[in-house]
Amino acid sequence: MLVMAQGESRQLSTSDQANVRVSHGHVLGASHFDSRTILLVARRPGTTTLHVGHQSYRVEVLPSRVFRDYLKLKEVLQPLKGLQLEVFDQKLHIGGVLWRLGDWRRLADSGGTYSWRAQLAPEIEELAQSHLETVLRKQGLAQVRLELGRGTGARALVPQGQPELLESTRSALQPYGFEVELDPSALGLAPLVRMQVILAEVSRQWGRQMGLEWGLNYQAQVLPQFHQEGGLLVSLQALESRGEGQILASPNLLCRSGGEAEFLAGGEFPIRTGGFGRRQVEWKSHGVRLHFKPLADSSGRMSIELTAEVSLIDPGVSVDGIPALKTNRIQSHFDLSESKTLVLSGLLREQSGLSREGLPLLSQLPVIGPLFSSQNYLREKSELIVFVTPELLNSQAPTPKPVPTNSKQGENDAEAP
């Protein structure tokens, strides 16, 4: 076999006056340079057969870029055992048997483009699978399925419903000779987002220590980086033990990217409805309602649409015995490159009252009772705040293992240092 670059000229030695024939003259030109030398000119990419006397050559003419990869891979493969470089239809293939995982890494680091057709030695199958899983895990590609067939090539199958993963999968696995394709039979699962919600009532002084800026109205902000040992929940529990705050609820919500999740801390009251001859009761919810709509990709970037609503029963306003609701609502949007804690604030609750002390009986006498007693005016302000920490779960999911080339399992690690 002869491998030439497009536009390349090469001389080939032969016997005296040997007949020269070329199957496809548009791919390769051949003519006598002198009685013992033939001049070959690679005209365009393709495959042809060169007949010189009783000798035949298969000639592969490659584009310049592919030919540079050919020279690069040929140099890398020269000291390696068991692997050989093959050329078919202007494409480069690595065949043979892989005995050491380090050889595959050297090929991946060479920067050459090729297709992997070599078989894995049984004793390194598990090691190779683990290495490929690590490569995919670094890119957050948990949905990709790998196939390593017997001489049929290596394929990475991306679910049909997630074509956006094609480019990142190619970037991760093409150095290892994988062909990346869409798999119509695979179920494409959107990334799974977990939202840790903490609904707490805290003093405004604690919020200032955490770096929160209190406003007169509802606010949505990102909590500054939290350095206290144990995290936010531990800090709130310590606050609760000192009597300076209270954790009202701490649910965890799971939601697929593009889906919706909702949380309600409160209750419901009945509303009687209906027309002539029929009655019906509907239940109206009140309290703190949170509604989430997350979007996420496999790299950990998230776009969170968040709606918070606080509704309280107003007994001072009612119609036919049905109370009204005081409702406040806030809607915000956050774009996060990593998991951070979002804070919804502005739900100020104020408590006031009178504390009275005095002598029994005498302090309760009309008119002169205040002379035997004293009154203290009490006022307390607290803040109802909501902490939301979205976290991508799919990047931590195990990657499906490739289909091995041999059912036997190796006992030792065969990789050479």
Side-chain angles (χ1 to χ4, degrees), residues 269-284 320 322:
F269 62 91
I271 300 177
R272 183 179 297 172
T273 62
F276 179 76
R278 64 183 180 89
R279 287 186 176 183
Q280 187 175 355
V281 174
E282 294 183 0
W283 294 89
K284 182 70 175 179
D320 294 335
I322 302 175

Side-chain angles (χ1 to χ4, degrees), residues 3 57 60 92 105 123 126 154 170 180 188 248 252 278 286 319 349 364 379-380 405 415:
V3 180
Y57 299 87
E60 290 281 351
L92 308 180
R105 290 185 183 141
E123 53 266 32
E126 186 175 348
R170 287 193 183 100
V180 181
L248 304 179
N252 285 336
R278 64 183 180 89
H286 64 90
V319 177
R349 190 179 79 168
Q364 299 176 4
R379 188 174 183 179
E380 177 187 356
T405 59
E415 184 185 3

